[in-house]
Each structure stands twice: as structure tokens, then as C-alpha cells.
Amino acid sequence: MTMKKEILKNNKTQPNLKDYAVACKEFRWEDAENELGLSTKDGINIATSAIDTHAASWRKNKVALYWEGADGGCKEYSFGDLQRESNRVGNMLRSLGVRKGDRVFVFLPRIPELFISIIGIAKIGAVAGPMFSAFGPEAIRDRLKDSGAKVLITDSSLRERVHQVWDELPDLKTVVVTRTVEGGGGGEKLWKREVRYEEEIEKESHHMTVEPMSLDDPFYMLYTSGTTGKPKGVVHVHHDMISHYITTKWVLDLQEEDVYWCSADPGWVTGTVYGLWGPWLNGISQVVFEGRYDAERWYAVMERHGVTVWYTAPTALRMLMRAGDGPVKKCDISALRYICSVGEPLNPEVIRWGMDVYGLCIHDTWWQTETGAIMITNYPSMPVRPGSMGRPFPGVKAAIIDAQGRELPPGSSGILALKPGWPSIMRSIWKDKERYDEYFKIPGWYTTGDTAHMDTDGYFWFIGRADDVIMTAGHRVGPFEVESALVEHRAVVEAGVIGKPDPDRGQIIKAFLVLREGFNPSDELKEDIKEFIKHRLSGHAYPKEIDFCESVPKTRSGKIMRRLLKARELGLPEGDLSTLED
Ligand code: WTA
């Protein structure tokens, strides 16, 4: 362990947030804005603040990105390198006709080009749409079509999935293809409107004029699931950077010498906000690991790069817990000094296990794609109550309310709501005002769709979702999208989808299917349907369990009663059945 890490680990360095109560009393968003040194009169840009400012300072040669490939190869990028490379991407996009406000989607594995592209897109004032590399053609089509994306950046291993749906995407002018890092067949013939990333970049200068933006201009959008309809495009603006900056500083407690690793992919909001912008706004070195979850490999990544702060998810932690002490004992991860978790309830059992194995308390954080930054959370300087999500970030007002918007007293269960006004709150749902307005139906509040309660000391405790949204392995899945994809299978006429509790993944997806005439239930058919969904939609959204049934319960107005499917599955009371069809 180096001297610096020892100092950090022994906590001789004070946490960035020293006193929660004082911070709440004195907090002003303007102070965070001033720390970032924004001068709105000349225009701002999140990429300038996250990259160029450091590249123009003594941090120029500081490592911004320690990248480790799935095959074990490593690369390092300084802030100066990221500036130059992202400038070239920005210039390339301008040459391809992309202008301020246009949507540019990115469909890449976690390779350096993914991060460089997102920064380059922000630099020209376009809107980046990161897509998870496990998405199938259907998921890709829905996002590119709805957003009207003009350019897509992908690689040779993924482009074929785009080809399958290109005909349905009239707005998509150009697809930029980079090779996979392993060299995965970059030599193949390109389609008419495909260009090669490396060739285009080569033509461009390392210098550029960054587009001056206002705080209210969008810079990224992410599609997320609700109970009904296709995934919705949550739009975020440059103003978000103030929330990114200060929450990263106070919650993840990142300090100059830290080596930070966020295990989330930028296709999910955690990876975009805390695996890219937040840490770089703070000038911190981050690790990106291209590969998938693997207990031994993850610890080896931490050892190799000397990770000091780690942001991960309960599912991963539960899997590591089940993997036992073996893998962790093989590696030296003694540099690790701080751990945070997000995405699902963090079981007290996992916190206790973390204390034993890592000698560190895992700090839970709560937020959503729509909130754009951590909202309710634990801090290094505040005692953790295992099972609680913690307390609201200074400057954020959270409450438990009833359907009329009245605040409920401590101990009462109700709707978890937030008072709008923090910088990173979403600014729209792309082309869907109605769905945006849904969040603000209770006057004065943003409603989260979660239910919770608050104790007398203001700690919040998660209860569940108020709707049918499924959280599986930290991923948010809407039952409707899965049902829609299921009924496209030739054997399926009707589908009802629920989340079923699972000890590792929080929930797994379970589907109840009615088969078309002429098809008989069989294990082979189940496997075929699972593969179909994995391929069409995404690896994380396929039903792990399938039951065939005669009918799916529906209301008289034709809505699938997922609540009833769930109650039957779990042997719970069936509740009010007055609206059931038969
Ligand atoms: C759930 C992820 C319990 C919650 C950043 C929320 C959590 C949804 C926690 C948002 C937590 C997130 N404890 N549940 N600490 N954090 N959730 O948009 O239901 O992918 O509404 O954002 O995840 O999921 P999303």
C-alpha cells in the first residue's frame, strides 16, 4: 500500500462532508456552482468543466481513466488525453453534420471510445444517448426511433443488431463503427451509411471550439422503464453538473489521491453520472473494467489498480457474499477505504458481511434516473442504520406524503416524494409531456413511484415500488416491454409479467404465458422463448421463470392484473377483485 493510500485508509484525511447537520443548515446550490467556477455569461459546458478545465491545470497529466479490458490489457488516459480525443470526436460529429440539440446515440462495450464519445457529444452541444451493450434489436430500435437519433456510434461486434432494424429508422443518417478492442473483425465491409471511427477521427484536429451552452440545454438522455408503455426518454441538462459535482464530493467522498471504481455501465444512469461525469468533475482518477461480473476478477481489478473507493450494487455484493471468503483472500484489496451501494435495498446482512470481510461499512444511496443524482443517502460522517437509505442530501427536501400531498408523520408508510428545485431534476420526457406531468400530479411534489417511511431522526426506509416496475439485479424493467416482446414470439398469444423475490437478484422476471392453438407446453419451448427475449430485447430483461396457463387475469378494461398474478405466485391475499374480468 502506498503512503497516500494508507493516509486515506486510516482516515487521517477528513471526510469531505464533515458535519451533516451543519451542511443542511448552511447549504446553498450557488456555493457548489461557485466551487465549479461556472461563468454562465460566456456559456458553460459540462465537458469543459469535467475535462478541459483539468487539462488546462496541473492535472493535465493526472490519470483520469485506468482502463482494463476484458482480456486483461490495460490503457491509461490523462485528462489531457481525454481532452484531445474527445475534441476529435466532437470535430468528427460536426463534420458528419451533427449540430447542437441533435441526438447521438452510443452503443458500445465499456471501451475507452464509449467514454470519449459521450464527452465529445457533449462538447458540440448534442444530446448523448448511451445504450447498454446487451440490448437487442428491439430495444435499440425503440430508443433510436423515439429519440430521432441522427448518428449512432457502435462497434464491429454490435453493428449487426443495428442492421436488423435500420429500415425502421428514417432519422438515422450515419453509423460510426469502431473495432472492438480485441480487434474483433474491424476489417469487414461497411454498409452504405456506415463510416469507420478510426478513419474519421484521423482526419480531425485535436483542437476544437466547445459549444457554449446554457444551464438548461440538454446533454444526455436515458430511457427508463415505467409500468405502462415503452421505455421513456428522460432528458437531462448541463445544469445537472452542479448536483453531479457536489454529491460525488460529499457522498462518494472522493479526494484528490483516490482511485475510484464504479462498476455500473453508462447505459444505466449510475454509470453515466457516477462512472463518468461526477468523478471527472472532481478531477478524480477512475477505473473502468470492460468485463462482466466475476468475483475473482473483480477483486483482481481492485488490487491491480489500487482501488480506494468503490460504488457498486446490492446484487453484486450479494453474489460476492455467496462466493465466500475464498476470492477476496486471494487478492490484496487493502487500499479500499470506502464503499457505496445503489439500485435496490441493501440488506443489513450484506452490511454485516462487508464489515467482516472488508472491515468497512457499506453506505447505501438512493436515487433514480429522473432525479439525475443521489437524493437520499448515507455519509462517511453520519452513523449508518443498516436497512435505511439514509437522509436527504443537503438542499434536498424529501418527505413521505399521502395522495393529497400532505406530509405524513414519522413512522407512517406512504409515497416517497421530493420538493422540486435541485439542479439535476429531469427537464422532460422526450416528446411525451403527459408522462412527464404524471410525476408532478400532486401539487408541489415530484413523486418517485417508491413507497417508504421515515423515522423520527429523519432516516428514510425503503418499502417497495408503488407500481409494477421490476428491479432485477439493479436494472429497472417495465413489465409492459417484456410482455410486448413475449407476444411477438410465434407461440405466445398473451403474457403477464411480474417481479418475483429472489435472494440474489432482488427480483427475477417471471412470465405467465397463454399459448397459441397448436403449441404445447414444454421445457424446450420455455428455453426457446427465453432465448427469443434475450436476443430481441436484452440479456437482463428475459423471464428466468415461465409458467404456461389458460388465461391471464385482466380487468374489465383489459389491463393485465399483475398484482393478482403476484399474489397468487406468492400465496398472498388476492385483495379486491371487483374489477376482474370474469
Ligand atoms: C430503486 C437507479 C432501494 C427504487 C439509480 C428507485 C433503490 C429505482 C435504491 C430507480 C436503494 C434505487 N434502495 N431501492 N438504495 N436505489 N432504488 O432509475 O425503486 O434505474 O425508484 O436508478 O431503483 O431506478 P433507476
Side-chain angles (χ1 to χ4, degrees), residues 224 269-270 341-346 364-370 389 448 450 462 465 471 474 476:
T224 193
V269 76
T270 304
S341 157
V342 63
E344 320 148 62
L346 178 65
D364 194 14
T365 70
W366 176 94
W367 60 296
Q368 304 180 299
T369 306
E370 295 88 336
M389 309 187 288
T448 64
D450 285 356
F462 183 79
R465 287 289 306 182
M471 293 299 304
R476 188 164 152 186

mmCIF file of all heavy atoms in Angstrom, residues 224 269-270 341-346 364-370 389 448 450 462 465 471 474 476, ligand 1:
data_model
loop_
_atom_site.group_PDB
_atom_site.id
_atom_site.type_symbol
_atom_site.label_atom_id
_atom_site.label_comp_id
_atom_site.label_asym_id
_atom_site.label_seq_id
_atom_site.Cartn_x
_atom_site.Cartn_y
_atom_site.Cartn_z
ATOM 1 N N THR A 224 -35.791 4.841 -19.587
ATOM 2 C CA THR A 224 -36.027 4.060 -18.385
ATOM 3 C C THR A 224 -37.456 3.556 -18.386
ATOM 4 O O THR A 224 -38.303 4.051 -19.118
ATOM 5 C CB THR A 224 -35.688 4.876 -17.123
ATOM 6 O OG1 THR A 224 -35.644 3.975 -16.010
ATOM 7 C CG2 THR A 224 -36.708 5.961 -16.855
ATOM 8 N N VAL A 269 -28.097 4.876 -15.468
ATOM 9 C CA VAL A 269 -27.805 6.231 -15.001
ATOM 10 C C VAL A 269 -26.614 6.272 -14.044
ATOM 11 O O VAL A 269 -25.830 7.223 -14.065
ATOM 12 C CB VAL A 269 -29.082 6.882 -14.405
ATOM 13 C CG1 VAL A 269 -29.406 6.333 -13.024
ATOM 14 C CG2 VAL A 269 -28.967 8.390 -14.402
ATOM 15 N N THR A 270 -26.434 5.236 -13.238
ATOM 16 C CA THR A 270 -25.310 5.257 -12.296
ATOM 17 C C THR A 270 -23.984 5.338 -13.050
ATOM 18 O O THR A 270 -23.077 6.085 -12.662
ATOM 19 C CB THR A 270 -25.323 4.006 -11.396
ATOM 20 O OG1 THR A 270 -26.590 3.938 -10.745
ATOM 21 C CG2 THR A 270 -24.217 4.054 -10.356
ATOM 22 N N SER A 341 -23.315 1.806 -2.260
ATOM 23 C CA SER A 341 -24.167 0.875 -2.992
ATOM 24 C C SER A 341 -25.403 1.616 -3.474
ATOM 25 O O SER A 341 -25.842 2.577 -2.856
ATOM 26 C CB SER A 341 -24.542 -0.251 -2.026
ATOM 27 O OG SER A 341 -25.726 -0.894 -2.438
ATOM 28 N N VAL A 342 -25.967 1.163 -4.581
ATOM 29 C CA VAL A 342 -27.172 1.801 -5.118
ATOM 30 C C VAL A 342 -27.991 0.831 -5.949
ATOM 31 O O VAL A 342 -27.467 -0.132 -6.487
ATOM 32 C CB VAL A 342 -26.823 3.001 -6.027
ATOM 33 C CG1 VAL A 342 -26.033 2.590 -7.252
ATOM 34 C CG2 VAL A 342 -28.088 3.758 -6.447
ATOM 35 N N GLY A 343 -29.278 1.117 -6.060
ATOM 36 C CA GLY A 343 -30.117 0.440 -7.051
ATOM 37 C C GLY A 343 -31.234 -0.393 -6.483
ATOM 38 O O GLY A 343 -32.266 -0.561 -7.114
ATOM 39 N N GLU A 344 -31.010 -0.960 -5.312
ATOM 40 C CA GLU A 344 -32.026 -1.802 -4.683
ATOM 41 C C GLU A 344 -31.768 -1.715 -3.186
ATOM 42 O O GLU A 344 -30.725 -1.224 -2.771
ATOM 43 C CB GLU A 344 -31.870 -3.271 -5.062
ATOM 44 C CG GLU A 344 -31.518 -3.588 -6.465
ATOM 45 C CD GLU A 344 -30.665 -4.844 -6.470
ATOM 46 O OE1 GLU A 344 -31.156 -5.897 -6.032
ATOM 47 O OE2 GLU A 344 -29.504 -4.762 -6.882
ATOM 48 N N PRO A 345 -32.719 -2.263 -2.416
ATOM 49 C CA PRO A 345 -32.488 -2.250 -0.974
ATOM 50 C C PRO A 345 -31.186 -2.990 -0.624
ATOM 51 O O PRO A 345 -30.896 -4.040 -1.179
ATOM 52 C CB PRO A 345 -33.691 -3.008 -0.419
ATOM 53 C CG PRO A 345 -34.728 -2.947 -1.484
ATOM 54 C CD PRO A 345 -33.996 -2.871 -2.788
ATOM 55 N N LEU A 346 -30.420 -2.407 0.264
ATOM 56 C CA LEU A 346 -29.169 -3.021 0.719
ATOM 57 C C LEU A 346 -29.460 -3.759 2.028
ATOM 58 O O LEU A 346 -29.743 -3.122 3.053
ATOM 59 C CB LEU A 346 -28.115 -1.934 0.922
ATOM 60 C CG LEU A 346 -26.760 -2.391 1.449
ATOM 61 C CD1 LEU A 346 -26.061 -3.292 0.440
ATOM 62 C CD2 LEU A 346 -25.875 -1.179 1.759
ATOM 63 N N ASP A 364 -25.357 2.915 1.808
ATOM 64 C CA ASP A 364 -26.438 2.871 0.829
ATOM 65 C C ASP A 364 -26.730 4.274 0.297
ATOM 66 O O ASP A 364 -26.628 5.263 1.046
ATOM 67 C CB ASP A 364 -27.697 2.289 1.489
ATOM 68 C CG ASP A 364 -28.756 1.897 0.473
ATOM 69 O OD1 ASP A 364 -28.447 1.822 -0.726
ATOM 70 O OD2 ASP A 364 -29.910 1.653 0.890
ATOM 71 N N THR A 365 -27.100 4.340 -0.988
ATOM 72 C CA THR A 365 -27.523 5.607 -1.595
ATOM 73 C C THR A 365 -28.794 5.349 -2.394
ATOM 74 O O THR A 365 -28.944 4.284 -2.975
ATOM 75 C CB THR A 365 -26.446 6.153 -2.560
ATOM 76 O OG1 THR A 365 -26.382 5.313 -3.723
ATOM 77 C CG2 THR A 365 -25.069 6.218 -1.920
ATOM 78 N N TRP A 366 -29.695 6.302 -2.397
ATOM 79 C CA TRP A 366 -30.953 6.142 -3.145
ATOM 80 C C TRP A 366 -31.120 7.281 -4.149
ATOM 81 O O TRP A 366 -30.949 8.453 -3.796
ATOM 82 C CB TRP A 366 -32.160 6.141 -2.183
ATOM 83 C CG TRP A 366 -33.472 6.072 -2.931
ATOM 84 C CD1 TRP A 366 -34.183 4.957 -3.224
ATOM 85 C CD2 TRP A 366 -34.202 7.165 -3.511
ATOM 86 N NE1 TRP A 366 -35.301 5.272 -3.953
ATOM 87 C CE2 TRP A 366 -35.339 6.613 -4.142
ATOM 88 C CE3 TRP A 366 -33.996 8.549 -3.572
ATOM 89 C CZ2 TRP A 366 -36.290 7.408 -4.810
ATOM 90 C CZ3 TRP A 366 -34.925 9.337 -4.256
ATOM 91 C CH2 TRP A 366 -36.063 8.753 -4.856
ATOM 92 N N TRP A 367 -31.503 6.942 -5.352
ATOM 93 C CA TRP A 367 -31.867 7.942 -6.367
ATOM 94 C C TRP A 367 -32.468 7.260 -7.559
ATOM 95 O O TRP A 367 -32.686 6.050 -7.533
ATOM 96 C CB TRP A 367 -30.673 8.821 -6.732
ATOM 97 C CG TRP A 367 -29.463 8.133 -7.297
ATOM 98 C CD1 TRP A 367 -28.660 7.222 -6.660
ATOM 99 C CD2 TRP A 367 -28.904 8.303 -8.594
ATOM 100 N NE1 TRP A 367 -27.638 6.831 -7.478
ATOM 101 C CE2 TRP A 367 -27.764 7.471 -8.675
ATOM 102 C CE3 TRP A 367 -29.239 9.088 -9.695
ATOM 103 C CZ2 TRP A 367 -26.965 7.399 -9.827
ATOM 104 C CZ3 TRP A 367 -28.444 9.021 -10.829
ATOM 105 C CH2 TRP A 367 -27.327 8.188 -10.891
ATOM 106 N N GLN A 368 -32.768 8.021 -8.610
ATOM 107 C CA GLN A 368 -33.442 7.498 -9.800
ATOM 108 C C GLN A 368 -32.898 8.162 -11.055
ATOM 109 O O GLN A 368 -32.343 9.262 -10.980
ATOM 110 C CB GLN A 368 -34.943 7.836 -9.734
ATOM 111 C CG GLN A 368 -35.642 7.352 -8.497
ATOM 112 C CD GLN A 368 -37.112 7.741 -8.524
ATOM 113 O OE1 GLN A 368 -37.431 8.923 -8.555
ATOM 114 N NE2 GLN A 368 -37.994 6.750 -8.530
ATOM 115 N N THR A 369 -33.142 7.520 -12.191
ATOM 116 C CA THR A 369 -32.769 8.124 -13.469
ATOM 117 C C THR A 369 -33.321 9.558 -13.533
ATOM 118 O O THR A 369 -32.648 10.481 -13.972
ATOM 119 C CB THR A 369 -33.360 7.300 -14.637
ATOM 120 O OG1 THR A 369 -32.956 5.943 -14.475
ATOM 121 C CG2 THR A 369 -32.891 7.822 -15.979
ATOM 122 N N GLU A 370 -34.556 9.721 -13.080
ATOM 123 C CA GLU A 370 -35.226 11.022 -13.187
ATOM 124 C C GLU A 370 -34.631 12.080 -12.256
ATOM 125 O O GLU A 370 -34.666 13.266 -12.571
ATOM 126 C CB GLU A 370 -36.718 10.879 -12.850
ATOM 127 C CG GLU A 370 -37.514 10.016 -13.818
ATOM 128 C CD GLU A 370 -37.498 8.519 -13.458
ATOM 129 O OE1 GLU A 370 -36.552 8.065 -12.773
ATOM 130 O OE2 GLU A 370 -38.431 7.804 -13.870
ATOM 131 N N MET A 389 -31.945 3.873 3.899
ATOM 132 C CA MET A 389 -31.271 4.518 2.765
ATOM 133 C C MET A 389 -30.518 5.767 3.201
ATOM 134 O O MET A 389 -29.804 6.376 2.418
ATOM 135 C CB MET A 389 -32.296 4.918 1.704
ATOM 136 C CG MET A 389 -33.222 3.767 1.316
ATOM 137 S SD MET A 389 -34.299 4.164 -0.055
ATOM 138 C CE MET A 389 -35.468 5.315 0.707
ATOM 139 N N THR A 448 -41.978 9.769 -6.614
ATOM 140 C CA THR A 448 -40.907 8.876 -7.062
ATOM 141 C C THR A 448 -41.401 7.531 -7.558
ATOM 142 O O THR A 448 -40.647 6.817 -8.214
ATOM 143 C CB THR A 448 -39.955 8.593 -5.886
ATOM 144 O OG1 THR A 448 -40.703 7.885 -4.865
ATOM 145 C CG2 THR A 448 -39.388 9.869 -5.305
ATOM 146 N N ASP A 450 -41.870 5.191 -5.507
ATOM 147 C CA ASP A 450 -41.455 4.305 -4.411
ATOM 148 C C ASP A 450 -42.309 4.604 -3.179
ATOM 149 O O ASP A 450 -42.778 5.729 -2.990
ATOM 150 C CB ASP A 450 -39.996 4.559 -4.024
ATOM 151 C CG ASP A 450 -39.003 3.985 -5.028
ATOM 152 O OD1 ASP A 450 -39.435 3.316 -5.981
ATOM 153 O OD2 ASP A 450 -37.800 4.209 -4.841
ATOM 154 N N PHE A 462 -36.807 2.189 2.832
ATOM 155 C CA PHE A 462 -37.474 1.782 1.591
ATOM 156 C C PHE A 462 -38.502 0.685 1.873
ATOM 157 O O PHE A 462 -38.236 -0.243 2.614
ATOM 158 C CB PHE A 462 -36.410 1.248 0.626
ATOM 159 C CG PHE A 462 -36.915 0.853 -0.724
ATOM 160 C CD1 PHE A 462 -37.169 1.810 -1.691
ATOM 161 C CD2 PHE A 462 -37.111 -0.485 -1.040
ATOM 162 C CE1 PHE A 462 -37.613 1.448 -2.963
ATOM 163 C CE2 PHE A 462 -37.553 -0.861 -2.301
ATOM 164 C CZ PHE A 462 -37.805 0.117 -3.261
ATOM 165 N N ARG A 465 -41.987 -0.572 -4.547
ATOM 166 C CA ARG A 465 -42.484 0.266 -5.624
ATOM 167 C C ARG A 465 -43.991 0.378 -5.469
ATOM 168 O O ARG A 465 -44.668 -0.574 -5.095
ATOM 169 C CB ARG A 465 -42.189 -0.390 -6.986
ATOM 170 C CG ARG A 465 -40.753 -0.353 -7.420
ATOM 171 C CD ARG A 465 -40.260 0.997 -7.821
ATOM 172 N NE ARG A 465 -41.069 1.654 -8.854
ATOM 173 C CZ ARG A 465 -40.767 2.842 -9.371
ATOM 174 N NH1 ARG A 465 -39.697 3.505 -8.960
ATOM 175 N NH2 ARG A 465 -41.527 3.366 -10.296
ATOM 176 N N MET A 471 -37.382 -4.420 -10.341
ATOM 177 C CA MET A 471 -35.951 -4.143 -10.196
ATOM 178 C C MET A 471 -35.245 -5.494 -10.150
ATOM 179 O O MET A 471 -35.373 -6.225 -9.171
ATOM 180 C CB MET A 471 -35.665 -3.382 -8.902
ATOM 181 C CG MET A 471 -36.213 -1.972 -8.844
ATOM 182 S SD MET A 471 -35.593 -0.797 -10.081
ATOM 183 C CE MET A 471 -33.836 -0.871 -9.843
ATOM 184 N N GLY A 474 -30.571 -4.860 -9.985
ATOM 185 C CA GLY A 474 -30.290 -3.427 -10.067
ATOM 186 C C GLY A 474 -30.788 -2.778 -11.344
ATOM 187 O O GLY A 474 -30.656 -1.582 -11.528
ATOM 188 N N ARG A 476 -33.787 -1.682 -13.986
ATOM 189 C CA ARG A 476 -35.196 -1.347 -13.928
ATOM 190 C C ARG A 476 -35.867 -1.847 -15.195
ATOM 191 O O ARG A 476 -35.479 -1.468 -16.292
ATOM 192 C CB ARG A 476 -35.255 0.176 -13.826
ATOM 193 C CG ARG A 476 -36.579 0.749 -13.581
ATOM 194 C CD ARG A 476 -36.324 2.181 -13.116
ATOM 195 N NE ARG A 476 -37.437 3.010 -13.451
ATOM 196 C CZ ARG A 476 -37.454 4.325 -13.265
ATOM 197 N NH1 ARG A 476 -36.398 4.945 -12.774
ATOM 198 N NH2 ARG A 476 -38.505 5.028 -13.575
HETATM 199 C C1 WTA B 1 -34.744 1.615 -6.755
HETATM 200 C C2 WTA B 1 -31.025 3.816 -10.202
HETATM 201 C C3 WTA B 1 -33.900 0.729 -2.537
HETATM 202 C C4 WTA B 1 -36.007 2.422 -6.454
HETATM 203 C C5 WTA B 1 -30.058 4.835 -9.599
HETATM 204 C C6 WTA B 1 -35.906 3.553 -7.461
HETATM 205 C C7 WTA B 1 -33.499 1.670 -4.593
HETATM 206 C C8 WTA B 1 -35.332 2.858 -8.659
HETATM 207 C C9 WTA B 1 -32.292 2.244 -4.121
HETATM 208 C C10 WTA B 1 -34.622 3.763 -9.602
HETATM 209 C C11 WTA B 1 -31.923 1.994 -2.767
HETATM 210 C C12 WTA B 1 -32.592 2.825 -6.187
HETATM 211 N N1 WTA B 1 -32.769 1.234 -2.018
HETATM 212 N N2 WTA B 1 -34.285 0.926 -3.800
HETATM 213 N N3 WTA B 1 -30.810 2.476 -2.242
HETATM 214 N N4 WTA B 1 -31.761 2.949 -5.139
HETATM 215 N N5 WTA B 1 -33.639 2.036 -5.880
HETATM 216 O O1 WTA B 1 -33.926 4.818 -12.341
HETATM 217 O O2 WTA B 1 -37.156 1.630 -6.689
HETATM 218 O O3 WTA B 1 -32.564 2.683 -12.567
HETATM 219 O O4 WTA B 1 -37.157 4.153 -7.742
HETATM 220 O O5 WTA B 1 -31.990 4.484 -10.919
HETATM 221 O O6 WTA B 1 -34.415 1.911 -8.102
HETATM 222 O O7 WTA B 1 -34.014 3.014 -10.625
HETATM 223 P P1 WTA B 1 -33.137 3.737 -11.704
#
